[in-house]
Amino acid sequence: MVEINTIPDDADASATTTDKPNETKKNDDGWKELMGQDMLLKILSSNKDATDKEELEHGDTVLINLIARIAPDSSSSIDDDDKIIQKVNGWLIGIGDTDVLPAIEMGIRFMQVGQTGRIWSNAKYAWGPGRRTYGKSVVLEPNTNVMFDITITQRVVDTSRLNPYFPIQRAITRKAIANDIFEHEFSSNTNLQEQQNENSMSIPRALRLYKKVTEDMTTLSNGTYFAQQPDDHPQRKQVQQLIVDCWNNISVVEMKQGNYHAAKEACVKVLEQNSKHIKALLRVSRACLLDSSSTMEEAKAALDAASAEITYKNPIEEKELKRLMVLYKKKMQEYKQQSKAMFGNKLLASKKSSDDNNTDKSKSDELTELKDVSQASRALAGGGKQQQDDGGIFNKTNQFLLAFQLVLPIMMYALYTFMKFKPMEETNEEL
């Protein structure tokens, strides 16, 4: 394989973290160009006692602390706390995993363990079109440039072949980054199009991180290490809790975006791990009520399960259940009205069709009856024209009966005369 170290000007930011450019330019004021004038790095301090002074490479994992501030340009003052928009400690970052913003990962790539560096970044390598809030008053508007102060505290060796500590810590960091995104970067803009633009980078990244945790922890849970450990092993419980938390958080994110079917599926994943998880039961109930592909039977089953688990000692859970019951009744009334309207129209149409068919049949029977009566009337009228029609069966029958009536008396009289004058025959039979 040929390794290419040059970076095209139009390359994607996420691709720049795998290899260092051949050269970086350094300005007179101490800034080093990482992506031309769009990304600059300045080393503020180094830990002289640090024993690990080797350059970081793609695939290394480090612990970092960072502070991010609003900075229109590289000369902006960063002393004011009211410009801070992010502050975190102890994130375990893998170089090349794209878990953090491109500016952060690129800056780390050019630093050493124990150093504190300042990275100024154009908005396109930071939060781009997204909006971020921090505290009660600090707001990062879309397409705003940022300054990061990053300290690399140590390089961490992957020990996952020996025990699950390393992958668990990576999962904890990914969950923390995703939580930070959801808490500070989910847009509440009432304009749907603007909200989608502001969430276009941050929310997919949060979902990807949550899902990565569920995948990694599920693999770890089903692996050989825990197959040899008791069910109550503390790390097993930690892994299961991470899976539940991240699926639960996925359901929250999907609900906020109106993706009710995806939220319902995420809740099902939670309930597979813990069938009595009340938040998941309440959330899946709401998702079923709002998801157009779900049935009222699903919603009723979810509400019944939630109601069975709620002890009514938590007023928040009790209040949410009552709201859901009200929503269920409303949806049920709408469902009945829609069903009545839909099936009622079909029944009316069917009845009308049946009535039309019966009416047509009745009219047909009446016409047939009138036709028969008319023909019979003409036959019984015995008009000269009808009687003269030798081809008619009715006329031939009448002629036969008339002839029979005339001949019958003559035949009877002849029979009577013959019987009266017949001579008696002699017999030889003895008395």
Side-chain angles (χ1 to χ4, degrees), residues 251-260 263 283 286-287 290:
S251 71
V252 175
V253 175
E254 298 290 11
M255 285 289 289
K256 289 276 285 184
Q257 294 189 110
N259 299 329
Y260 303 120
R283 195 169 290 117
R286 181 173 290 278
L290 298 176

Side-chain angles (χ1 to χ4, degrees), residues 9 51 92 142 148 177 182 194 207 213 225 252 258 281 285 299 305 310 326 367 373 424:
D9 293 337
T51 57
L92 187 60
F148 297 94
I177 296 171
F182 181 74
E194 293 181 2
L207 289 173
V213 173
Y225 179 83
V252 175
L281 288 169
S285 301
I310 290 179
V326 171
L367 290 173
V373 170
M424 296 184 62

Side-chain angles (χ1 to χ4, degrees), residues 314-364:
N314 187 322
I316 297 177
E317 294 173 353
E318 182 182 358
K319 187 176 181 179
E320 174 64 9
L321 180 62
K322 288 180 179 179
R323 282 198 295 259
L324 290 174
M325 293 302 295
V326 171
L327 180 60
Y328 172 77
K329 291 179 180 178
K330 179 182 177 181
K331 291 286 184 180
M332 198 65 189
Q333 290 176 352
E334 293 175 356
Y335 173 75
K336 289 180 178 179
Q337 290 174 355
Q338 292 173 356
S339 299
K340 182 178 179 181
M342 181 174 64
F343 292 108
N345 290 338
K346 288 184 177 180
L347 290 173
L348 288 174
S350 177
K351 185 176 183 302
K352 185 177 184 301
S353 177
S354 178
D355 291 344
D356 292 343
N357 291 337
N358 291 335
T359 301
D360 293 341
K361 184 177 179 182
S362 176
K363 290 181 179 179
S364 177

Side-chain angles (χ1 to χ4, degrees), residues 43-186:
I43 301 300
L44 301 180
S45 64
S46 297
N47 184 356
K48 297 180 180 180
D49 297 329
T51 57
D52 185 358
K53 295 184 179 181
E54 294 182 4
E55 291 187 353
L56 298 174
E57 298 179 354
H58 177 75
D60 286 342
T61 305
V62 293
L63 272 174
I64 68 167
N65 303 325
L66 73 85
I67 298 176
R69 296 178 174 87
I70 297 172
D73 54 61
S74 60
S75 62
S76 300
S77 173
I78 47 84
D79 295 332
D80 298 333
D81 288 343
D82 59 357
K83 293 183 179 180
I84 294 177
I85 53 172
Q86 187 178 38
K87 189 174 184 179
V88 297
N89 293 309
W91 278 4
L92 187 60
I93 305 301
I95 299 175
D97 289 346
T98 67
D99 291 342
V100 291
L101 297 174
I104 298 174
E105 191 164 334
M106 177 64 87
I108 294 172
R109 182 70 177 83
F110 286 90
M111 294 172 61
Q112 295 178 357
V113 174
Q115 288 184 338
T116 297
R118 177 165 294 168
I119 299 104
W120 179 86
S121 173
N122 184 284
K124 63 183 177 181
Y125 296 116
W127 282 279
R131 183 190 303 271
R132 180 180 173 88
T133 60
Y134 191 78
K136 296 181 179 179
S137 58
V138 183
V139 178
L140 176 77
E141 297 294 341
N143 301 310
T144 300
N145 301 333
V146 181
M147 190 90 75
F148 297 94
D149 283 355
I150 301 175
T151 301
I152 301 177
T153 59
Q154 71 178 89
R155 190 198 309 254
V156 180
V157 179
D158 185 351
T159 59
S160 55
R161 292 184 179 182
L162 301 175
N163 60 69
Y165 175 82
F166 181 83
I168 289 175
Q169 295 305 311
R170 290 299 310 274
I172 291 173
T173 293
R174 287 189 172 111
K175 176 190 169 187
I177 296 171
N179 287 351
D180 177 83
I181 293 171
F182 181 74
E183 181 180 357
H184 300 289
E185 298 175 28
F186 194 95

Side-chain angles (χ1 to χ4, degrees), residues 203-428:
I203 298 307
R205 192 160 63 94
L207 289 173
R208 178 176 61 82
L209 289 167
Y210 283 136
K211 290 178 181 179
K212 179 63 175 172
V213 173
T214 63
E215 292 168 1
D216 289 350
M217 293 299 97
T218 300
T219 300
L220 183 61
S221 177
N222 297 330
T224 57
Y225 179 83
F226 285 116
Q228 303 171 2
Q229 305 300 328
D231 292 340
D232 60 349
H233 192 281
Q235 286 181 318
R236 183 194 297 276
K237 292 182 179 180
Q238 191 177 18
V239 167
Q240 291 174 342
Q241 190 61 49
L242 282 167
I243 295 173
V244 169
D245 289 347
C246 286
W247 275 121
N248 200 40
N249 292 349
I250 289 171
S251 71
V252 175
V253 175
E254 298 290 11
M255 285 289 289
K256 289 276 285 184
Q257 294 189 110
N259 299 329
Y260 303 120
H261 187 74
K264 182 179 72 172
E265 291 181 337
C267 289
V268 171
K269 293 291 186 180
V270 175
L271 297 172
E272 288 176 357
Q273 298 289 328
N274 181 2
S275 61
K276 297 183 178 182
H277 196 287
I278 293 179
K279 287 184 178 180
L281 288 169
L282 291 172
R283 195 169 290 117
V284 76
S285 301
R286 181 173 290 278
C288 286
L289 289 170
L290 298 176
D291 178 24
S292 58
S293 64
S294 297
T295 64
M296 296 306 296
E297 288 77 10
E298 284 183 292
K300 183 64 166 60
L303 282 170
D304 289 343
S307 181
E309 295 301 328
I310 290 179
T311 60
Y312 297 95
K313 294 180 180 180
N314 187 322
I316 297 177
E317 294 173 353
E318 182 182 358
K319 187 176 181 179
E320 174 64 9
L321 180 62
K322 288 180 179 179
R323 282 198 295 259
L324 290 174
M325 293 302 295
V326 171
L327 180 60
Y328 172 77
K329 291 179 180 178
K330 179 182 177 181
K331 291 286 184 180
M332 198 65 189
Q333 290 176 352
E334 293 175 356
Y335 173 75
K336 289 180 178 179
Q337 290 174 355
Q338 292 173 356
S339 299
K340 182 178 179 181
M342 181 174 64
F343 292 108
N345 290 338
K346 288 184 177 180
L347 290 173
L348 288 174
S350 177
K351 185 176 183 302
K352 185 177 184 301
S353 177
S354 178
D355 291 344
D356 292 343
N357 291 337
N358 291 335
T359 301
D360 293 341
K361 184 177 179 182
S362 176
K363 290 181 179 179
S364 177
D365 292 343
E366 290 177 359
L367 290 173
T368 302
E369 184 178 353
L370 288 173
K371 184 177 180 181
D372 293 343
V373 170
S374 176
Q375 291 176 351
S377 298
R378 287 196 299 270
L380 293 174
K385 181 178 180 181
Q386 186 71 20
Q387 289 180 357
Q388 294 173 3
D389 187 3
D390 293 337
I393 296 176
F394 187 76
N395 288 339
K396 289 182 179 181
T397 302
N398 287 341
Q399 290 174 3
F400 173 77
L401 291 174
L402 181 61
F404 181 76
Q405 289 174 357
L406 292 174
V407 174
L408 182 62
I410 297 174
M411 293 176 64
M412 293 297 293
Y413 179 74
L415 179 62
Y416 170 75
T417 303
F418 174 79
M419 293 297 295
K420 181 178 180 180
F421 294 102
K422 180 181 179 182
M424 296 184 62
E425 298 179 355
E426 293 181 357
T427 178
N428 295 322

